[in-house]
Amino acid sequence: METEMKFKQLLTQYTGLQPENISNDMRFREDLSMSSLDFMTLLGDIEDEFDIEFEESDQVHITTVGEAIELLGRYL
Amino acid sequence: MTTYKLTPAQNMHNIWIHNYGTQQVSGVSIVAALKAPMEFSLLEECIREEYRRSGCLRLQFTKPDKKGNVKQYIVSKEKPMGEIKLVDLSGLTYDEADSTMQHWAYETFDGDNIPMCEFRLVKLPQGYNGLFVHMDHRLIDASGMVGIMGDLFGLYASKVFGTKQPDTPADFKEVLLKDLEKCSNERRLEKDRRFWAEQLDTLGEPLYSDIRGRGVLEASRQKHNAPELRAADIVLDDLFVAVKDYYLEPEPASRVMKFCERNQISPTNLLLLTIRTYLSKVNGGQEDITIQNFISRRSTIDEWHSGGSRTIMFPCRTVIGRDTEFLNAALEIQLLQNRIYMHSNYDPALIAEEMKRRYNTPDNTSYESCYLTYQPVSVSTNSGRLKGIPMLVKWFANGAATKKMYLTVSHTDRGEMKFSYHYQTACYDDKDMELLYYYMMKIMFKGINEPYLTVGEIMDSI
């Protein structure tokens, strides 16, 4: 839960939406209007925040907030 | 006084200033005017208020060291900005007024520890009134400039019509510090270094391609007596730049954007594919092509609303065979670009250094002839009562190009796509640009109409 909240707080900086208004089924591109640059920059911030390093092959499959949180969970 | 290092994006401009020996290469200028009477005293008040609101406008630089390195600092908002002149050009023809402003754009900010931006209030022909801004690119990029102009007109509308004041911009200093922290993060730096090294490990030394074909590289090979040379000379002593603009009409422009939307390809990547296909065609089918692409690194809300110079260029190098389908080629470029985005905090000067170290290329040579920037945002007045008033917006070339050909693609408020080619006259002429635009359109539309054609089939058919 703490991971999810931290992740959504990061996402707030990109979307302006409060964490409680970000649901896990939201899609980065279609629902949150994030460009590829935004998404990749967000991944970089997550890596810094959680001190992890994503495999590139994992990154391409993420389309929703829930998928990103699940992926993050696997690295922690 | 607290001084800070330059960010990689600022450093890119600083290196050009040092290498080309003039600040002129870092000038950026724009005029924005409304076809309406203006209360210039109020507009001046708004400019002074914007100067206090936007920290990037108050940036100054220390004296460069021997290598040209400078530090930056933010002047206190309490220190008043200098004089803002009102210049009346309304009695001139439009072309004469344009020529006057073009000369302002050629001016340089010479000296250290001095303001690096200048505003003028302007009365223009045909009833247009507004302001002209001339700045150093280390303070601002095009997106930042668009934001500041929008903010200024918002402030003006609030003073004249009592509309809501625009929101306070994000704190420039905070965003700057975050940027500096990111680019000095050792772990991140190492990851970026690995990524860029891997590009060279995998593909080896890049190969130059020119808008005019193989002759340019051959001439460099002869000059350096190096038949295997893969980079071509750049021009340092004649930086004069000319501009050729083309407008793609709203209907075909809309087809381009719909293709991008339908296939989830960003317009930048479609443009990169289009240019690389042209370069491949005129360079004997060369498959290894590099184009420098500018990325406007604005993702967080604060980054969008803090002004500053965040645009940075990275080489987009792809090796795409003739048999690759157009759509797949676009996706291949997109995949690479996405990987580059992840590493866009890196300083491109370090990539250039690494290539120089590995391949020992002669000084003042390059692997690229084309530079691209796609600029989706444009200056507009969305502030209540100003909305709908005809607006004149024009960006002026600084007159000194560091790049052989720099293409800016943007959208007009009439729904067109604007292709603005800035080229060094020492390298190209307007005929080259005409051909480039003509073939770019042929390639792009052939590709979006028949995305399953191969790149080779498209090259052969045009």
Side-chain angles (χ1 to χ4, degrees):
Chain A
M1 216 44 198
E2 194 192 336
T3 304
E4 183 172 332
M5 185 45 76
K6 260 171 131 179
F7 176 85
K8 287 184 177 174
Q9 274 164 355
L10 271 180
L11 202 47
T12 294
Q13 295 174 24
Y14 287 76
T15 61
L17 290 174
Q18 288 309 306
E20 57 273 22
N21 295 329
I22 301 173
S23 63
N24 287 5
D25 61 352
M26 280 180 163
R27 293 163 299 176
F28 290 103
R29 181 190 285 269
E30 294 84 352
D31 301 321
L32 298 174
S33 303
M34 287 175 72
S35 67
S36 311
L37 173 63
D38 301 339
F39 181 67
M40 299 311 280
T41 312
L42 170 69
L43 289 185
D45 283 354
I46 294 169
E47 288 188 338
D48 288 349
E49 177 72 28
F50 293 94
D51 202 18
I52 54 167
E53 194 171 327
F54 290 120
E55 290 291 329
E56 271 187 31
S57 53
D58 283 335
Q59 298 162 14
V60 290
H61 302 296
I62 305 169
T63 53
T64 66
V65 172
E67 285 166 4
I69 293 168
E70 194 190 317
L71 176 70
L72 181 55
R74 279 192 263 140
Y75 279 84
L76 292 175
Chain B
M1 176 179 79
T2 313
T3 59
Y4 310 98
K5 272 174 63 177
L6 301 192
T7 63
Q10 293 175 303
N11 195 39
M12 179 179 75
H13 295 287
N14 200 60
I15 289 172
W16 287 329
I17 293 171
H18 179 67
N19 289 353
Y20 289 84
T22 171
Q23 187 275 336
Q24 193 178 352
V25 297
S26 192
V28 52
S29 304
I30 186 174
V31 65
L34 295 172
K35 195 175 177 70
M38 283 208 118
E39 292 190 40
F40 282 106
S41 59
L42 279 185
L43 187 57
E44 178 175 346
E45 216 177 278
C46 295
I47 293 170
R48 293 186 186 282
E49 193 170 337
E50 187 61 23
Y51 175 82
R52 291 189 292 272
R53 285 159 61 98
S54 292
C56 68
L57 297 179
R58 289 179 273 116
L59 269 188
Q60 294 190 15
F61 302 99
T62 59
K63 186 178 166 61
D65 64 18
K66 280 181 187 161
K67 288 181 178 172
N69 297 316
V70 297
K71 295 249 181 172
Q72 61 183 320
Y73 58 93
I74 306 166
V75 170
S76 159
K77 62 176 78 169
E78 309 309 327
K79 188 176 173 184
M81 71 186 296
E83 187 193 2
I84 301 171
K85 285 180 192 153
L86 169 62
V87 187
D88 187 354
L89 304 175
S90 61
L92 304 178
T93 63
Y94 177 78
D95 285 346
E96 287 166 342
D98 188 79
S99 165
T100 302
M101 290 188 283
Q102 182 60 73
H103 278 90
W104 295 342
Y106 294 156
E107 288 170 4
T108 53
F109 294 100
D110 294 319
D112 330 308
N113 304 298
I114 56 166
M116 303 303 278
C117 75
E118 187 178 17
F119 286 83
R120 287 175 171 96
L121 303 163
V122 284
K123 288 184 183 178
L124 297 173
Q126 300 165 16
Y128 282 94
N129 296 291
L131 67 153
F132 177 94
V133 195
H134 179 49
M135 288 174 76
D136 184 297
H137 250 315
R138 290 170 295 179
L139 273 59
I140 205 144
D141 58 20
S143 294
M145 185 74 105
V146 167
I148 281 184
M149 295 307 251
D151 212 39
L152 263 168
F153 280 105
L155 286 173
Y156 181 78
S158 74
K159 288 191 195 305
V160 175
F161 305 117
T163 52
K164 185 179 166 283
Q165 264 227 347
D167 292 338
T168 308
D171 189 316
F172 171 74
K173 186 174 145 190
E174 264 179 37
V175 177
L176 172 69
L177 291 177
K178 261 193 191 168
D179 266 352
L180 291 173
E181 191 189 320
K182 274 187 187 179
C183 65
S184 60
N185 176 329
E186 271 305 318
R187 185 183 165 134
R188 199 183 260 251
L189 200 61
E190 181 47 39
K191 210 165 45 175
D192 295 341
R193 196 180 291 129
R194 247 182 9 239
F195 169 78
W196 288 105
E198 184 201 304
Q199 298 283 302
L200 299 176
D201 293 342
T202 311
L203 299 172
E205 187 180 5
L207 180 61
Y208 180 81
S209 55
D210 194 273
I211 292 167
R212 280 188 170 173
R214 287 304 282 268
V216 176
L217 178 59
E218 290 306 327
S220 286
R221 285 175 169 172
Q222 280 183 17
K223 179 184 160 190
H224 295 277
N225 196 20
E228 302 298 319
L229 185 67
R230 294 171 74 87
D233 289 275
I234 56 170
V235 176
L236 287 166
D237 54 356
D238 180 359
L239 304 181
F240 191 75
V241 60
V243 182
K244 188 96 179 161
D245 292 337
Y246 296 95
Y247 293 86
L248 180 65
E249 297 83 351
E251 192 280 324
S254 143
R255 273 197 285 141
V256 170
M257 298 313 285
K258 279 184 184 150
F259 172 83
C260 290
E261 219 175 285
R262 202 168 49 244
N263 294 286
Q264 302 216 332
I265 303 283
S266 82
T268 302
N269 296 329
L270 177 65
L271 291 163
L272 283 168
L273 173 58
T274 303
I275 298 170
R276 85 167 306 290
T277 306
Y278 174 77
L279 288 171
S280 182
K281 182 181 169 66
V282 297
N283 286 272
Q286 184 175 318
E287 293 181 352
D288 183 351
I289 305 278
T290 310
I291 297 163
Q292 289 280 358
N293 180 44
F294 285 82
I295 299 170
S296 179
R297 290 182 46 259
R298 291 181 194 275
S299 291
T300 66
I301 308 273
D302 280 358
E303 285 167 3
W304 273 107
H305 296 103
S306 59
S309 189
R310 307 187 58 81
T311 301
I312 192 161
M313 67 171 197
F314 287 103
C316 173
R317 180 186 183 188
T318 44
V319 180
I320 294 178
R322 283 181 56 85
D323 294 338
T324 313
E325 288 177 0
F326 187 81
L327 186 57
N328 284 339
L331 292 168
E332 200 174 312
I333 291 173
Q334 183 138 299
L335 194 63
L336 171 66
Q337 283 297 113
N338 286 350
R339 295 179 74 207
I340 290 174
Y341 292 156
M342 183 86 172
H343 302 281
S344 59
N345 280 301
Y346 200 55
D347 190 336
L350 298 174
I351 305 171
E353 261 175 39
E354 177 62 14
M355 289 205 280
K356 177 98 181 141
R357 189 189 67 76
R358 286 188 185 213
Y359 308 120
N360 197 26
T361 42
D363 286 342
N364 306 319
T365 57
S366 165
Y367 296 107
E368 303 91 17
S369 63
C370 295
Y371 295 71
L372 169 71
T373 188
Y374 172 62
Q375 210 171 287
V377 288
S378 55
V379 176
S380 63
T381 51
N382 290 322
S383 308
R385 309 245 315 248
L386 294 181
K387 202 172 175 180
I389 298 176
M391 191 179 199
L392 168 76
V393 175
K394 185 176 175 185
W395 296 84
F396 290 89
N398 57 34
T402 54
K403 306 158 202 79
K404 290 189 175 184
M405 193 288 295
Y406 179 25
L407 167 61
T408 304
V409 180
S410 56
H411 297 269
T412 70
D413 54 8
R414 297 179 298 275
E416 301 148 319
M417 279 176 93
K418 180 182 177 189
F419 291 74
S420 186
Y421 296 85
H422 291 223
Y423 58 96
Q424 282 182 332
T425 52
C427 300
Y428 305 121
D429 56 34
D430 61 351
K431 188 77 188 161
D432 292 309
M433 298 305 115
E434 200 178 316
L435 277 174
L436 177 57
Y437 178 69
Y438 173 77
Y439 279 109
M440 276 183 66
M441 293 306 108
K442 295 272 275 187
I443 291 165
M444 191 161 66
F445 283 98
K446 192 78 184 163
I448 66 173
N449 290 336
E450 298 175 80
Y452 299 107
L453 283 183
T454 67
V455 168
E457 285 168 334
I458 290 175
M459 282 196 281
D460 294 342
S461 71
I462 55 166

